[in-house]
Amino acid sequence: SQELEQSPQSLIVQEGKNLTINCTSSKTLYGLYWYKQKYGEGLIFLMMLQKGGEEKSHEKITAKLDEKKQQSSLHITASQPSHAGIYLCGADRSGGSNYKLTFGKGTLLTVNP
Amino acid sequence: NAGVTQTPKFRILKIGQSMTLQCAQDMNHNYMYWYRQDPGMGLKLIYYSVGAGITDKGEVPNGYNVSRSTTEDFPLRLELAAPSQTSVYFCASSYSSPGPLHFGNGTRLTVT
């Protein structure tokens, strides 16, 4: 089974709709990073979560880490075409090292105008 | 402020050829990383460095070599290219570990 699972694999929404992407780990998450990737480009850092129950927001994107620190969600409110891309989560499950980050396979988001 | 710069953006190699993927950052970050990204797979760490003169293997180092003579540069060398090395390669840097990674735009490599 996947050690770090993202769901859904892909998502098509109408502009203006809300959506949620999940990242689930079989192990405790000491840190969880959300990135966005556009085709042909690098990954752009969105948010980092480290504490159980932590929630961070930037513009219309909110990321949460559950109390048990095994699941994170990324929520986009009133989606826009500019939100389209691939969203990846990266997990620190070793306790404080970037060398052992595990990345999810990504969620492809399409926003139709 | 350019961030992390990778060159080239695209490259086609024949089996057995060698090449160096260049990576430079201007943020004075000590930590630098090389990842490969294959379709349907997550990013896999090839090599990383915690500072000039110090490098170490990641999850998938076979077929690759790195050096870190300066803080700014972290080139990745492919010797005897194989079709299995066809991938998109990303270089990244970070100020701290743990801490967010800053990625370059990638090099798309095809080995035929």
Side-chain angles (χ1 to χ4, degrees), chain B residues 4 6 23-24 32-35 74 89-93 102-104 106:
Chain B
V4 179
Q6 289 184 239
C23 175
M32 295 189 76
Y33 316 83
W34 274 106
Y35 286 91
F74 191 39
Y89 292 85
F90 288 101
C91 178
S93 71
H102 299 261
F103 285 85

Side-chain angles (χ1 to χ4, degrees), chain A residues 33 35 37 42 45 96 98-99 105, chain B residues 33 37 40 50 97 99 101 104:
Chain A
Y33 304 84
Y35 291 89
Q37 182 180 21
F45 169 70
N98 280 351
Y99 324 140
K105 294 183 178 181
Chain B
Y33 316 83
Q37 185 180 42
V50 301
S97 176
L101 303 180

